[in-house]
C-alpha cells in the first residue's frame, strides 16, 4: 500500500505546522477544535486509520484496539505513556511511541521553578500582595526555606531526574541524593554528582524532594502517609512525575498538620480534577501539568510524535519505539 493512502487521526489540537507536515504524508483527520471525546467517539474516528497522534490524555487499551483493527501505531506527544496499555498494544501488533529527550531540560527547569516557588513561598506571598494585605516590611514575612546548599532528593533518576541533579549540584551547590529502581552506573552517578540512597534514607535526608517517577501499578502511591512521616518538617515535596505516584489525600494531611512545610505540584491524581483539600492550602504551589510547556519544547514534542508516524508508516522506522518487538514481528 502506498504511504499516501494511510489515514492518520490526530486526537487533540496541535500546532498547525505539524498538522501540515502530517498532511504531506497522510490523509489526516484531526480534532483541531480540541473537543473532549468519549472512547466511543474516539473509536469511530479511528475506523480505517493506520495511525493516531495522541497526547497523554487519550487511553489506548484492549477494547479500543479490538474495535480499530486497522491501527498500526499510536504516537504519544508525551514522554510518559501510562495512557497506553502497552502489553495490549504489543499483543495487537500496534506500535507505541513516546516523545523523550526533547523535553528533558525544559521539564527540569520547571521542576526547579516549582521547588524554588514552594520553598520560598512565592505563590503564597504574591496572593497576599495582590489581596492588598501588604502593609509593611517584617522580619519574618514569608520567610521560607533555603534551596542553595541544601540536600536535594530525587525519586526517579531517569533523564529528567539527572537534569535536575545537574542543576542542583552545579547551579545551586546542593548535595544531591537519589533513589531509583536501579542504581545508576558510576559514570552517570558522577556526571549527575548524585549519591544513591535507599528510599527511607532519601526521605529522611532530603530538604527538597523531587518526584519524577512515571505512573504504573508499581509506583501507585509510592509516596503515601508512611513516607511523608519520614520527611523533615521543613521539607518541600515537588511532583512533576505523574499523578497517583503521590497519595494526594495523604499529602493534604501532611501539609495541613505541618508534617512537611510545602509542596509544588504539576500533576495530580485524577487530573484535571484536584483533591479539593489542595485548593484550601496556602503552602502548596499548583500548576496545570505544564512542566514541558515551553513553546519550543512543545513544538519539538509534536514534531517528534509526527516523525514517529511518518517514520513508521512510510519507512517502517519509528524514532522512539516503546515496544520494538512489534517491529520484529511485522
Ligand atoms: C508530560 O507529562 C509528559 O509525559 O510528556
Amino acid at each position: 500500500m502506498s504511504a499516501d493512502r494511510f489515514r492518520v487521526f490526530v486526537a487533540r489540537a496541535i500546532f498547525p505546522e505539524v498538522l501540515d507536515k502530517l498532511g504531506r504524508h497522510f490523509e489526516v483527520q484531526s480534532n483541531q477544535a480540541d473537543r473532549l471525546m468519549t472512547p466511543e467517539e474516539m473509536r469511530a474516528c479511528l475506523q480505517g486509520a493506520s495511525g493516531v497522534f495522541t497526547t497523554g490524555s487519550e487511553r489506548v487499551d484492549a477494547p479500543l484496539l479490538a474495535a480499530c483493527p486497522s491501527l498500526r501505531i499510536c504516537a504519544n506527544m508525551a514522554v510518559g505513556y501510562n495512557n497506553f496499555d502497552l502489553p495490549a498494544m504489543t499483543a495487537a501488533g500496534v506500535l507505541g511511541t513516546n516523545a523523550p529527550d526533547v523535553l528533558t531540560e525544559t521539564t527540569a527547569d520547571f521542576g526547579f521553578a516549582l521547588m524554588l516557588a514552594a520553598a520560598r513561598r512565592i505563590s503564597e506571598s504574591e496572593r497576599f500582595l495582590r489581596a492588598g494585605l501588604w502593609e509593611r516590611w517584617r522580619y519574618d514575612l514569608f520567610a521560607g526555606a533555603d534551596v542553595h546548599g541544601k540536600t536535594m532528593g530525587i525519586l526517579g533518576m531517569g533523564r529528567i531526574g539527572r537534569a535536575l541533579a545537574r542543576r542542583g549540584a552545579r547551579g545551586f551547590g546542593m548535595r544531591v541524593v537519589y533513589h531509583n529502581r536501579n542504581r545508576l552506573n558510576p559514570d552517570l552517578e558522577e556526571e549527575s554528582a548524585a549519591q544513591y540512597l535507599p528510599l527511607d534514607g532519601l526521605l529522611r535526608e532530603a530538604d527538597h524532594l523531587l518526584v519524577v517517577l512515571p505512573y504504573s501499578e508499581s509506583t501507585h502511591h509510592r509516596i503515601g502517609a508512611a513516607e511523608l512521616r519520614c520527611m523533615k518538617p521543613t521539607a518541600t515535596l515537588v511532583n512533576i512525575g505523574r499523578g497517583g505516584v503521590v497519595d494526594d489525600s495523604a499529602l493534604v494531611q501532611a501539609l495541613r498538620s505541618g508534617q512537611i512545610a510545602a509542596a509544588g505540584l504539576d500533576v495530580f491524581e485524577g487530573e484535571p480534577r484536584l483533591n479539593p483539600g489542595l485548593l484550601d492550602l496556602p503552602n502548596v504551589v499548583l500548576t496545570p501539568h505544564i512542566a514541558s510547556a515551553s513553546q519550543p519544547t512543545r513544538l519539538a514534542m509534536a514534531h517528534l510524535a509526527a516523525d514517529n508516524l511518518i517514520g513508521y508508516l512510510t519507512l517502517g522506522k519509528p524514532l522512539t519505539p516503546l515496544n520494538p518487538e512489534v517491529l520484529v514481528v511485522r
Side-chain angles (χ1 to χ4, degrees):
M1 186 191 279
S2 76
D4 57 8
R5 293 180 53 206
F6 286 125
R7 205 162 78 66
V8 159
F9 180 60
V10 180
R12 298 292 306 276
I14 58 163
F15 297 92
E17 64 210 85
V18 176
L19 210 50
D20 289 348
K21 174 168 160 174
L22 286 169
R24 289 196 285 278
H25 296 269
F26 308 116
E27 186 192 316
V28 178
Q29 189 197 345
S30 76
N31 176 18
Q32 206 57 0
D34 218 26
R35 274 187 323 108
L36 282 181
M37 280 190 295
T38 62
E40 292 71 34
E41 288 172 317
M42 177 94 163
R43 273 176 225 174
C45 290
L46 284 175
Q47 292 312 303
S50 301
V52 59
F53 182 120
T54 50
T55 68
S57 314
E58 292 74 49
R59 180 96 190 123
V60 175
D61 55 14
L64 179 108
L65 294 164
C68 308
S70 58
L71 204 58
R72 302 265 56 94
I73 170 173
C74 304
N76 226 23
M77 183 189 148
V79 66
Y81 51 90
N82 53 302
N83 56 316
F84 286 174
D85 180 340
L86 208 56
M89 289 168 68
T90 304
V94 174
L95 185 76
T97 63
N98 68 339
D101 299 319
V102 291
L103 49 49
T104 300
E105 301 299 330
T106 295
T107 304
D109 283 353
F110 195 85
F112 228 90
L114 268 185
M115 174 176 65
L116 287 166
R120 297 300 309 275
R121 305 175 67 179
I122 288 176
S123 298
E124 190 184 351
S125 60
E126 186 182 1
R127 283 193 296 272
F128 167 88
L129 182 151
R130 285 180 185 273
L133 298 171
W134 187 25
E135 287 170 357
R136 58 186 169 218
W137 185 94
R138 214 189 114 85
Y139 74 97
D140 61 350
L141 187 63
F142 292 107
D146 267 327
V147 170
H148 72 274
K150 293 294 176 187
T151 297
M152 171 191 246
I154 302 176
L155 180 56
M157 201 61 161
R159 289 164 284 225
I160 297 169
R162 299 199 299 276
L164 283 163
R166 290 194 298 274
R167 281 160 177 73
R170 308 233 168 92
F172 281 68
M174 300 176 87
R175 171 179 173 239
V176 180
V177 292
Y178 77 95
H179 181 75
N180 199 45
R181 189 175 38 175
N182 301 311
R183 187 172 174 168
L184 299 183
N185 67 44
D187 287 352
L188 277 182
E189 270 191 4
E190 193 182 324
E191 182 199 295
S192 315
Q195 177 199 347
Y196 176 85
L197 285 180
L199 182 57
D200 60 336
L202 182 85
L203 297 169
R204 271 199 306 273
E205 293 195 24
D207 294 305
H208 305 290
L209 178 69
L210 287 102
V211 179
V212 205
L213 287 177
Y215 181 80
S216 68
E217 264 174 36
S218 69
T219 60
H220 179 75
H221 287 188
R222 177 65 54 85
I223 300 294
E227 289 73 23
L228 290 161
R229 270 196 298 276
C230 295
M231 293 178 66
K232 299 181 185 182
T234 49
T236 57
L237 179 148
V238 169
N239 187 5
I240 55 166
R242 270 290 183 272
V245 173
V246 175
D247 177 344
D248 285 348
S249 300
L251 179 63
V252 167
Q253 291 310 320
L255 288 164
R256 218 177 250 156
S257 64
Q259 217 164 64
I260 67 169
L265 306 175
D266 187 49
V267 287
F268 306 88
E269 282 191 279
E271 65 184 54
R273 286 183 305 279
L274 262 64
N275 183 312
L278 287 169
L279 296 170
D280 299 333
L281 287 167
N283 48 343
V284 57
V285 181
L286 305 168
T287 53
H289 203 144
I290 56 167
S292 66
S294 71
Q295 282 284 346
T297 291
R298 283 286 167 89
L299 185 60
M301 291 166 71
H303 273 296
L304 180 51
D307 290 343
N308 270 310
L309 286 163
I310 295 164
Y312 186 49
L313 290 176
T314 66
L315 301 169
K317 290 195 172 113
L319 298 175
T320 50
L322 292 166
N323 50 349
E325 54 273 37
V326 166
L327 302 175
V328 177
V329 171
R330 282 179 59 77

